[in-house]
């Protein structure tokens, strides 16, 4: 995720180990789903770049979760006002 911390826009890049569906979701620290950022196919070995826009997101810490066919990755991200 870059930049991190981010304002209203950020970019996420990932490479899936196996071809299959992928989802990128954003959760608050209470574990509540804030927004689904991406849902679609991911090709094995290919870099997938996902530009994200999160208007009206409160300043604070969030968990970004990438779920692919064979992995779940969580990363803390910080949102700040632009």
């Amino acid at each position: 995720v870059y930049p991190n911390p981010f304002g209203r826009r950020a970019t996420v890049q990932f490479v899936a180990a196996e071809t299959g569906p992928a989802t990128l979701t954003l959760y608050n620290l209470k574990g509540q789903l804030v927004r689904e950022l991406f849902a679609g196919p991911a090709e094995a070995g290919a870099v997938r770049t996902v530009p994200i826009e999160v208007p009206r997101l409160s300043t604070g810490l969030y968990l970004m979760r990438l779920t692919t066919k064979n992995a779940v990755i969580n990363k803390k991200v910080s949102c700040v006002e632009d």
Side-chain angles (χ1 to χ4, degrees):
V1 177
Y2 60 90
N4 189 17
F6 63 94
R8 300 296 171 232
R9 294 184 179 103
T11 302
V12 177
Q13 287 187 320
F14 65 91
V15 178
E18 293 183 36
T19 298
T23 58
L24 184 65
T25 49
L26 190 66
Y27 293 87
N28 64 23
L29 293 184
K30 294 179 181 179
Q32 299 165 320
L33 177 65
V34 173
R35 183 167 301 149
E36 184 175 78
L37 304 169
F38 171 81
E43 188 176 325
V47 176
R48 174 65 117 161
T49 301
V50 181
I52 58 173
E53 289 192 35
V54 283
R56 299 180 303 272
L57 190 63
S58 299
T59 296
L61 290 174
Y62 294 86
L63 292 175
M64 191 171 288
R65 176 176 292 163
L66 173 65
T67 305
T68 63
K69 186 175 179 178
N70 61 340
V72 176
I73 299 169
N74 293 296
K75 180 169 178 71
K76 284 185 186 177
V77 294
S78 181
C79 179
V80 295
E81 290 187 35
D82 279 335

mmCIF file of all heavy atoms in Angstrom, residues 3-4 6 8 10-12 18-19 26 28 30 33 38 41 52 54 58 63 70 74-75 80 82:
data_model
loop_
_atom_site.group_PDB
_atom_site.id
_atom_site.type_symbol
_atom_site.label_atom_id
_atom_site.label_comp_id
_atom_site.label_asym_id
_atom_site.label_seq_id
_atom_site.Cartn_x
_atom_site.Cartn_y
_atom_site.Cartn_z
ATOM 1 N N PRO A 3 0.640 5.632 -0.858
ATOM 2 C CA PRO A 3 1.435 5.907 0.348
ATOM 3 C C PRO A 3 0.729 5.363 1.594
ATOM 4 O O PRO A 3 -0.463 5.090 1.564
ATOM 5 C CB PRO A 3 1.486 7.432 0.394
ATOM 6 C CG PRO A 3 0.208 7.868 -0.279
ATOM 7 C CD PRO A 3 -0.056 6.827 -1.345
ATOM 8 N N ASN A 4 1.456 5.219 2.647
ATOM 9 C CA ASN A 4 0.897 4.818 3.937
ATOM 10 C C ASN A 4 1.666 5.569 5.023
ATOM 11 O O ASN A 4 2.829 5.269 5.222
ATOM 12 C CB ASN A 4 1.001 3.314 4.155
ATOM 13 C CG ASN A 4 0.238 2.855 5.391
ATOM 14 O OD1 ASN A 4 -0.597 3.569 5.909
ATOM 15 N ND2 ASN A 4 0.539 1.658 5.857
ATOM 16 N N PHE A 6 -2.147 7.324 4.067
ATOM 17 C CA PHE A 6 -2.709 7.851 2.835
ATOM 18 C C PHE A 6 -3.816 8.853 3.142
ATOM 19 O O PHE A 6 -4.324 8.901 4.248
ATOM 20 C CB PHE A 6 -3.243 6.725 1.935
ATOM 21 C CG PHE A 6 -4.380 5.940 2.539
ATOM 22 C CD1 PHE A 6 -5.686 6.277 2.267
ATOM 23 C CD2 PHE A 6 -4.128 4.849 3.359
ATOM 24 C CE1 PHE A 6 -6.744 5.553 2.803
ATOM 25 C CE2 PHE A 6 -5.175 4.121 3.896
ATOM 26 C CZ PHE A 6 -6.477 4.473 3.626
ATOM 27 N N ARG A 8 -6.998 10.450 0.677
ATOM 28 C CA ARG A 8 -8.218 9.876 0.116
ATOM 29 C C ARG A 8 -7.922 8.880 -0.994
ATOM 30 O O ARG A 8 -8.808 8.199 -1.477
ATOM 31 C CB ARG A 8 -9.140 10.975 -0.412
ATOM 32 C CG ARG A 8 -9.561 11.958 0.656
ATOM 33 C CD ARG A 8 -10.388 11.258 1.731
ATOM 34 N NE ARG A 8 -10.627 12.142 2.859
ATOM 35 C CZ ARG A 8 -10.381 11.820 4.111
ATOM 36 N NH1 ARG A 8 -9.895 10.653 4.422
ATOM 37 N NH2 ARG A 8 -10.634 12.660 5.082
ATOM 38 N N ALA A 10 -4.978 5.881 -2.582
ATOM 39 C CA ALA A 10 -3.801 5.041 -2.371
ATOM 40 C C ALA A 10 -3.741 4.019 -3.504
ATOM 41 O O ALA A 10 -4.677 3.896 -4.298
ATOM 42 C CB ALA A 10 -3.867 4.331 -1.024
ATOM 43 N N THR A 11 -2.646 3.310 -3.565
ATOM 44 C CA THR A 11 -2.478 2.251 -4.557
ATOM 45 C C THR A 11 -2.030 0.990 -3.837
ATOM 46 O O THR A 11 -1.161 1.042 -2.962
ATOM 47 C CB THR A 11 -1.423 2.653 -5.605
ATOM 48 O OG1 THR A 11 -1.841 3.874 -6.224
ATOM 49 C CG2 THR A 11 -1.273 1.585 -6.666
ATOM 50 N N VAL A 12 -2.619 -0.112 -4.214
ATOM 51 C CA VAL A 12 -2.247 -1.415 -3.658
ATOM 52 C C VAL A 12 -1.748 -2.282 -4.809
ATOM 53 O O VAL A 12 -2.379 -2.335 -5.864
ATOM 54 C CB VAL A 12 -3.451 -2.097 -2.980
ATOM 55 C CG1 VAL A 12 -3.085 -3.475 -2.475
ATOM 56 C CG2 VAL A 12 -3.993 -1.230 -1.860
ATOM 57 N N GLU A 18 -1.450 -18.237 -7.111
ATOM 58 C CA GLU A 18 -2.251 -19.081 -7.991
ATOM 59 C C GLU A 18 -3.358 -18.238 -8.632
ATOM 60 O O GLU A 18 -3.856 -17.293 -8.026
ATOM 61 C CB GLU A 18 -2.906 -20.219 -7.202
ATOM 62 C CG GLU A 18 -1.929 -21.229 -6.636
ATOM 63 C CD GLU A 18 -2.640 -22.365 -5.928
ATOM 64 O OE1 GLU A 18 -3.731 -22.772 -6.387
ATOM 65 O OE2 GLU A 18 -2.118 -22.825 -4.913
ATOM 66 N N THR A 19 -3.745 -18.598 -9.823
ATOM 67 C CA THR A 19 -4.839 -17.914 -10.499
ATOM 68 C C THR A 19 -6.146 -18.208 -9.777
ATOM 69 O O THR A 19 -6.404 -19.349 -9.387
ATOM 70 C CB THR A 19 -4.930 -18.367 -11.969
ATOM 71 O OG1 THR A 19 -3.717 -18.006 -12.624
ATOM 72 C CG2 THR A 19 -6.108 -17.737 -12.686
ATOM 73 N N LEU A 26 -11.493 -3.379 3.405
ATOM 74 C CA LEU A 26 -11.010 -2.463 4.427
ATOM 75 C C LEU A 26 -11.901 -2.590 5.651
ATOM 76 O O LEU A 26 -13.135 -2.521 5.535
ATOM 77 C CB LEU A 26 -11.052 -1.029 3.880
ATOM 78 C CG LEU A 26 -10.369 0.048 4.705
ATOM 79 C CD1 LEU A 26 -8.855 -0.189 4.741
ATOM 80 C CD2 LEU A 26 -10.664 1.421 4.122
ATOM 81 N N ASN A 28 -12.442 -1.488 9.955
ATOM 82 C CA ASN A 28 -12.005 -0.635 11.054
ATOM 83 C C ASN A 28 -11.421 -1.539 12.146
ATOM 84 O O ASN A 28 -11.451 -2.775 12.030
ATOM 85 C CB ASN A 28 -13.141 0.264 11.562
ATOM 86 C CG ASN A 28 -14.302 -0.503 12.163
ATOM 87 O OD1 ASN A 28 -14.175 -1.652 12.612
ATOM 88 N ND2 ASN A 28 -15.474 0.122 12.164
ATOM 89 N N LYS A 30 -12.497 -2.274 14.922
ATOM 90 C CA LYS A 30 -13.512 -3.068 15.615
ATOM 91 C C LYS A 30 -13.854 -4.327 14.834
ATOM 92 O O LYS A 30 -14.668 -5.128 15.251
ATOM 93 C CB LYS A 30 -14.784 -2.241 15.823
ATOM 94 C CG LYS A 30 -14.604 -1.072 16.763
ATOM 95 C CD LYS A 30 -15.892 -0.308 16.894
ATOM 96 C CE LYS A 30 -15.721 0.881 17.803
ATOM 97 N NZ LYS A 30 -16.973 1.656 17.925
ATOM 98 N N LEU A 33 -16.584 -4.312 8.555
ATOM 99 C CA LEU A 33 -16.268 -4.034 7.157
ATOM 100 C C LEU A 33 -16.622 -2.582 6.845
ATOM 101 O O LEU A 33 -17.749 -2.154 7.063
ATOM 102 C CB LEU A 33 -17.044 -4.971 6.233
ATOM 103 C CG LEU A 33 -16.863 -4.747 4.733
ATOM 104 C CD1 LEU A 33 -15.435 -5.039 4.307
ATOM 105 C CD2 LEU A 33 -17.836 -5.612 3.958
ATOM 106 N N PHE A 38 -11.860 -4.081 -3.884
ATOM 107 C CA PHE A 38 -11.640 -4.804 -5.137
ATOM 108 C C PHE A 38 -12.188 -6.210 -4.993
ATOM 109 O O PHE A 38 -12.047 -6.841 -3.943
ATOM 110 C CB PHE A 38 -10.135 -4.874 -5.453
ATOM 111 C CG PHE A 38 -9.805 -5.778 -6.606
ATOM 112 C CD1 PHE A 38 -9.951 -5.340 -7.910
ATOM 113 C CD2 PHE A 38 -9.354 -7.066 -6.386
ATOM 114 C CE1 PHE A 38 -9.658 -6.180 -8.981
ATOM 115 C CE2 PHE A 38 -9.056 -7.912 -7.443
ATOM 116 C CZ PHE A 38 -9.212 -7.463 -8.742
ATOM 117 N N PRO A 41 -10.684 -11.260 -10.661
ATOM 118 C CA PRO A 41 -9.694 -12.302 -10.909
ATOM 119 C C PRO A 41 -8.272 -11.806 -10.675
ATOM 120 O O PRO A 41 -7.975 -10.623 -10.856
ATOM 121 C CB PRO A 41 -9.911 -12.640 -12.387
ATOM 122 C CG PRO A 41 -10.433 -11.367 -12.975
ATOM 123 C CD PRO A 41 -11.260 -10.731 -11.899
ATOM 124 N N ILE A 52 -7.154 2.878 -5.304
ATOM 125 C CA ILE A 52 -8.330 2.965 -4.442
ATOM 126 C C ILE A 52 -8.598 4.420 -4.065
ATOM 127 O O ILE A 52 -7.684 5.208 -3.899
ATOM 128 C CB ILE A 52 -8.197 2.084 -3.181
ATOM 129 C CG1 ILE A 52 -6.965 2.453 -2.369
ATOM 130 C CG2 ILE A 52 -8.172 0.627 -3.535
ATOM 131 C CD1 ILE A 52 -6.873 1.741 -1.043
ATOM 132 N N VAL A 54 -11.051 6.498 -1.260
ATOM 133 C CA VAL A 54 -11.880 6.308 -0.076
ATOM 134 C C VAL A 54 -12.351 7.665 0.460
ATOM 135 O O VAL A 54 -11.929 8.104 1.516
ATOM 136 C CB VAL A 54 -11.125 5.510 1.011
ATOM 137 C CG1 VAL A 54 -11.086 4.045 0.671
ATOM 138 C CG2 VAL A 54 -9.713 6.026 1.214
ATOM 139 N N SER A 58 -12.928 8.369 7.787
ATOM 140 C CA SER A 58 -12.440 9.056 8.975
ATOM 141 C C SER A 58 -10.947 8.809 9.170
ATOM 142 O O SER A 58 -10.435 7.736 8.865
ATOM 143 C CB SER A 58 -13.178 8.558 10.222
ATOM 144 O OG SER A 58 -14.554 8.804 10.119
ATOM 145 N N LEU A 63 -7.570 -1.910 8.931
ATOM 146 C CA LEU A 63 -6.954 -3.144 8.468
ATOM 147 C C LEU A 63 -7.386 -3.383 7.033
ATOM 148 O O LEU A 63 -8.583 -3.393 6.732
ATOM 149 C CB LEU A 63 -7.381 -4.334 9.327
ATOM 150 C CG LEU A 63 -6.875 -4.334 10.753
ATOM 151 C CD1 LEU A 63 -7.486 -5.508 11.521
ATOM 152 C CD2 LEU A 63 -5.367 -4.420 10.794
ATOM 153 N N ASN A 70 -5.171 -18.900 -2.079
ATOM 154 C CA ASN A 70 -4.368 -19.661 -1.118
ATOM 155 C C ASN A 70 -3.790 -18.823 0.019
ATOM 156 O O ASN A 70 -2.934 -19.296 0.745
ATOM 157 C CB ASN A 70 -3.229 -20.381 -1.843
ATOM 158 C CG ASN A 70 -2.294 -19.407 -2.524
ATOM 159 O OD1 ASN A 70 -2.657 -18.268 -2.775
ATOM 160 N ND2 ASN A 70 -1.092 -19.843 -2.821
ATOM 161 N N ASN A 74 -3.224 -9.504 6.014
ATOM 162 C CA ASN A 74 -3.753 -8.314 6.667
ATOM 163 C C ASN A 74 -2.628 -7.302 6.831
ATOM 164 O O ASN A 74 -1.506 -7.672 7.175
ATOM 165 C CB ASN A 74 -4.317 -8.658 8.046
ATOM 166 C CG ASN A 74 -5.538 -9.524 7.947
ATOM 167 O OD1 ASN A 74 -6.552 -9.116 7.412
ATOM 168 N ND2 ASN A 74 -5.447 -10.742 8.456
ATOM 169 N N LYS A 75 -2.938 -6.038 6.603
ATOM 170 C CA LYS A 75 -1.949 -4.981 6.769
ATOM 171 C C LYS A 75 -2.623 -3.783 7.421
ATOM 172 O O LYS A 75 -3.715 -3.386 7.026
ATOM 173 C CB LYS A 75 -1.373 -4.582 5.416
ATOM 174 C CG LYS A 75 -0.330 -3.494 5.504
ATOM 175 C CD LYS A 75 0.392 -3.328 4.204
ATOM 176 C CE LYS A 75 1.407 -2.223 4.262
ATOM 177 N NZ LYS A 75 2.564 -2.500 5.046
ATOM 178 N N VAL A 80 -5.206 9.665 6.826
ATOM 179 C CA VAL A 80 -5.083 11.025 7.353
ATOM 180 C C VAL A 80 -5.841 11.965 6.430
ATOM 181 O O VAL A 80 -6.092 11.650 5.272
ATOM 182 C CB VAL A 80 -3.605 11.459 7.466
ATOM 183 C CG1 VAL A 80 -2.869 10.605 8.481
ATOM 184 C CG2 VAL A 80 -2.903 11.406 6.125
ATOM 185 N N ASP A 82 -6.494 14.891 3.858
ATOM 186 C CA ASP A 82 -5.705 15.518 2.786
ATOM 187 C C ASP A 82 -5.455 16.974 3.116
ATOM 188 O O ASP A 82 -6.216 17.655 3.684
ATOM 189 C CB ASP A 82 -6.441 15.434 1.440
ATOM 190 C CG ASP A 82 -6.243 14.063 0.807
ATOM 191 O OD1 ASP A 82 -5.254 13.409 1.104
ATOM 192 O OD2 ASP A 82 -7.107 13.683 0.000
#
